[in-house]
Amino acid sequence: MIKTGFFRFKKLGQKYLLTNDLGDFIFLQKKDFKNFKEGKLKEEASVYKELDKKHFTSKSWRCENCQARLTNRYASYRGKYLSQGPGLHIIVVTLRCDHACRYCHASSKNMTRTDLDMQEPTAKKVVDMIFETTSPFINVEFQGGEPLANFGIVKFIVNRVLEKNKKAKKELRFSLVSTLSLLDDKKLNWLHGKKISICSSLDGPEKLHNKNRPKLDGKSSYRATCQGIKKTKKKYKDLHYQVNALITTTGDSLPLWKEIVDEYVKLGLRDIHLRPLNPFGMAKGLQKLLGYSAQDFVTFYKKALDYIIELNLRGIDIRERIAKMIAQKAFTDNDPNFLDLRSPCGAGIGQLAYHYNGDVYTCDEGRMLGQMGDGTFKLGNVHKNTYKEIISSEVTKSLCLASTLEGLTGCSDCVYLPYCGVCPVFNYSEEGNIFAQAPNNFRCQVNKSILDYLFRKFETPEALKIFKKWLSK
């Protein structure tokens, strides 16, 4: 009798999907699955050879040095982030903003509140703490509020980071998340000179965007953002940098899946990240007005992704980020290390978020909850605590435990474990328990449904060709 290796499975359509901890997967017909699990497949059968090649048989683990080789493969590629430390450092340089977004996750304040700007002494402490990370990579991401409203401190931090890195020699990256409404030529020239990548927010066509993200002065936020994106794309052309934008999906977005994708294509944006609304900040109190069911969002996602695939087949180059990341996990050993889709998640060990006053949080979501008056995910303050105290906090340890899928009920035996992740902050916000990843949890429903859909698409030659094309760029 041929023994099987370890695998998880589920019936998907008329076939059975099998996955293992390395992220390998295979679809089996019902008869082949029955014979395989009962040890009745013959070694000369082509399906057995495919299973063996993808490490689903005990034979593939018994050869000399096999276990060491496969363990090294997991450690070097799938789990490489576990030994690196926080690489993403989100700095909120101000809470001021010239927008009044309906779902504002950051709980931003109006432009007159200069007391909510980060000051130089705090910025110095933040940069010093960032360079204590054991990660060889550092991505400093500026957020707000609107970070361009406190541009002087952005410049101060960038220059200080660059100076300290002359000795530390980390691999550096800077990014700035902005509405771009305050972007002028002087700021743009400086950002370009420092090679700081730009990400904005674009919710779709003008009427939808302006409804979701109104400006305080009553002018069109859509026009200001589109103008900023166009200017930045033109300026950054010589650097071959892609200007990115994020969509926040509200109930008003759901019937406009085609128009939203068309808006990104029209602006020449190469990527679109179809993400649901998070229950933080102002969005928390407006769930009934802005929100929707998990199934409603999944329907929106499927229609939009089908349209994106259709556009690619017509030669129009645009990628959906979730689909691309799942394909990368499924078809390569180069894990994208997206902090929401890993085990454990990135809270505290993959990222840290620094508030304007020096408070340090496990992640941006934890900081958002802090702005709502709940400091559960606060790790300390740069003026009062050391990096060692922050990284070894009981809160950090708890979030690691709460997001390690292999130890969670409903996740440990899920076929999608190698590709998924949980957010303890989301669970806490919705259910009052960081471990409460119930099967009926909104996020779980969305992730499972999207993964079901994507793996079925992997069985479709035309769609699979598009996904693999995305991975080659």
Side-chain angles (χ1 to χ4, degrees):
M1 177 180 286
I2 299 298
K3 293 183 179 180
T4 66
F6 176 78
F7 66 91
R8 300 176 179 88
F9 71 93
K10 76 172 291 184
K11 189 175 183 183
L12 194 58
Q14 297 302 310
K15 295 181 179 180
Y16 284 85
L17 171 64
L18 282 65
T19 68
N20 59 30
D21 284 335
L22 294 170
D24 296 324
F25 75 93
I26 190 170
F27 280 96
L28 295 181
Q29 298 288 351
K30 182 178 179 180
K31 182 179 178 181
D32 289 331
F33 176 67
K34 181 176 183 296
N35 287 335
F36 176 58
K37 69 179 182 177
E38 293 175 358
K40 296 178 181 178
L41 272 182
K42 297 185 181 300
E43 289 194 36
E44 60 269 21
S46 59
V47 67
Y48 178 86
K49 292 178 180 178
E50 185 68 15
L51 283 159
D52 189 55
K53 179 181 177 183
K54 293 185 175 181
H55 311 104
F56 284 98
T57 71
S58 61
K59 176 186 174 184
S60 62
W61 288 82
R62 288 201 308 265
C63 67
E64 185 178 356
N65 296 324
C66 273
Q67 289 193 29
R69 177 170 54 82
L70 294 174
T71 300
N72 183 64
R73 175 185 163 193
Y74 183 91
S76 300
Y77 299 100
R78 295 281 169 187
K80 63 183 179 181
Y81 51 78
L82 293 174
S83 62
Q84 291 179 348
L88 174 60
H89 298 266
I90 297 171
I91 306 178
V92 177
V93 295
T94 182
L95 286 184
R96 291 189 292 141
C97 189
D98 62 339
H99 282 59
C101 302
R102 293 198 296 165
Y103 48 67
C104 181
H105 296 142
S107 301
S108 297
K109 308 299 179 184
N110 65 53
M111 291 291 286
T112 63
R113 294 287 305 275
T114 55
D115 58 310
L116 301 177
D117 287 357
M118 180 175 282
Q119 303 299 317
E120 283 192 13
T122 299
K124 287 179 182 178
K125 289 283 189 180
V126 168
V127 173
D128 290 345
M129 184 168 284
I130 286 173
F131 274 90
E132 297 220 35
T133 182
T134 53
S135 173
F137 316 102
I138 290 178
N139 180 10
V140 176
E141 181 177 296
F142 296 104
Q143 288 197 22
E146 170 51 64
L148 293 180
N150 192 14
F151 193 61
I153 213 70
V154 171
K155 294 168 68 175
F156 175 84
I157 290 171
V158 170
N159 288 331
R160 186 168 176 83
V161 167
L162 290 172
E163 184 61 33
K164 287 184 74 73
N165 201 47
K166 290 178 181 178
K167 182 177 179 180
K169 299 189 184 304
K170 303 275 189 180
E171 184 177 328
L172 282 183
R173 182 184 175 190
F174 296 101
S175 54
L176 182 137
V177 181
S178 168
T179 65
L180 303 180
S181 60
L182 300 180
L183 184 69
D184 55 33
D185 290 340
K186 187 175 181 180
K187 291 186 181 76
L188 182 59
N189 289 338
W190 190 88
L191 292 166
H192 172 267
K194 298 297 183 180
K195 300 181 180 179
I196 297 174
S197 64
I198 305 293
C199 181
S200 191
S201 296
L202 182 66
D203 282 358
E206 186 167 9
K207 185 177 179 180
L208 173 64
H209 184 91
N210 285 341
K211 184 176 182 181
N212 282 347
R213 306 178 60 83
K215 285 190 71 185
L216 291 173
D217 63 8
K219 295 181 180 179
S220 172
S221 62
Y222 168 86
R223 294 180 185 177
T225 294
C226 289
Q227 182 182 6
I229 289 173
K230 291 174 183 176
K231 283 181 64 175
T232 305
K233 278 174 60 66
K234 183 178 180 181
K235 183 69 176 179
Y236 275 60
K237 190 174 181 180
D238 64 312
L239 297 178
H240 305 290
Y241 276 27
Q242 291 297 321
V243 179
N244 294 313
L246 292 173
I247 169 180
T248 300
T249 309
T250 62
D252 293 321
S253 309
L254 300 182
L256 300 175
W257 49 270
K258 182 178 183 295
E259 291 85 349
I260 290 169
V261 174
D262 284 342
E263 198 67 45
Y264 275 67
V265 171
K266 183 175 76 174
L267 282 169
L269 297 169
R270 291 274 302 279
D271 293 275
I272 183 169
H273 190 169
L274 300 172
R275 57 181 190 153
L277 191 68
N278 272 326
F280 306 115
M282 292 175 65
K284 180 69 174 178
L286 296 173
Q287 285 290 84
K288 290 184 179 180
L289 178 64
L290 301 178
Y292 34 77
S293 70
Q295 188 52 54
D296 286 341
F297 177 78
V298 171
T299 299
F300 162 83
Y301 180 88
K302 289 178 180 179
K303 289 179 178 178
L305 182 61
D306 282 348
Y307 181 53
I308 288 168
I309 292 172
E310 177 190 327
L311 290 175
N312 276 267
L313 291 172
R314 285 161 38 191
I316 299 171
D317 190 15
I318 182 168
R319 303 169 294 200
E320 200 287 311
R321 282 192 68 202
I322 295 175
K324 181 185 176 184
M325 286 187 288
I326 298 302
Q328 189 172 338
K329 284 173 171 280
F331 294 106
T332 79
D333 277 332
N334 183 23
D335 193 288
N337 194 22
F338 182 61
L339 302 182
D340 291 350
L341 293 176
R342 56 175 250 187
S343 173
C345 76
I349 61 170
Q351 67 171 306
L352 291 172
Y354 307 85
H355 207 35
Y356 77 96
N357 62 359
D359 287 343
V360 185
Y361 291 87
T362 56
C363 51
D364 202 32
E365 290 79 6
R367 178 191 67 85
M368 292 172 188
L369 210 61
Q371 274 297 101
M372 297 165 64
D374 189 333
T376 299
F377 302 98
K378 179 180 169 181
L379 301 176
N381 186 284
V382 294
H383 294 289
K384 300 175 182 178
N385 300 98
T386 65
Y387 174 79
K388 185 176 180 179
E389 289 171 339
I390 294 290
I391 205 70
S392 61
S393 161
E394 293 301 314
V395 177
T396 304
K397 294 175 184 177
S398 296
L399 263 64
C400 284
L401 286 172
S403 62
T404 299
L405 303 183
E406 289 80 359
L408 298 180
T409 302
C411 295
S412 61
D413 58 351
C414 178
V415 71
Y416 295 126
L417 183 148
Y419 320 104
C420 198
V422 302
C423 178
V425 183
F426 179 97
N427 292 341
Y428 175 85
S429 176
E430 291 296 278
E431 303 174 44
N433 185 343
I434 62 174
F435 289 92
Q437 182 68 11
N440 61 351
N441 176 297
F442 175 90
R443 198 172 184 274
C444 181
Q445 288 184 59
V446 167
N447 285 356
K448 278 186 176 179
S449 297
I450 287 177
L451 283 159
D452 279 347
Y453 196 63
L454 289 175
F455 273 84
R456 284 178 173 170
K457 287 291 185 185
F458 294 162
E459 286 279 273
T460 307
E462 282 190 336
L464 180 59
K465 183 179 179 181
I466 296 300
F467 293 140
K468 290 193 172 182
K469 181 183 176 183
W470 292 352
L471 298 181
S472 66
K473 294 183 178 180

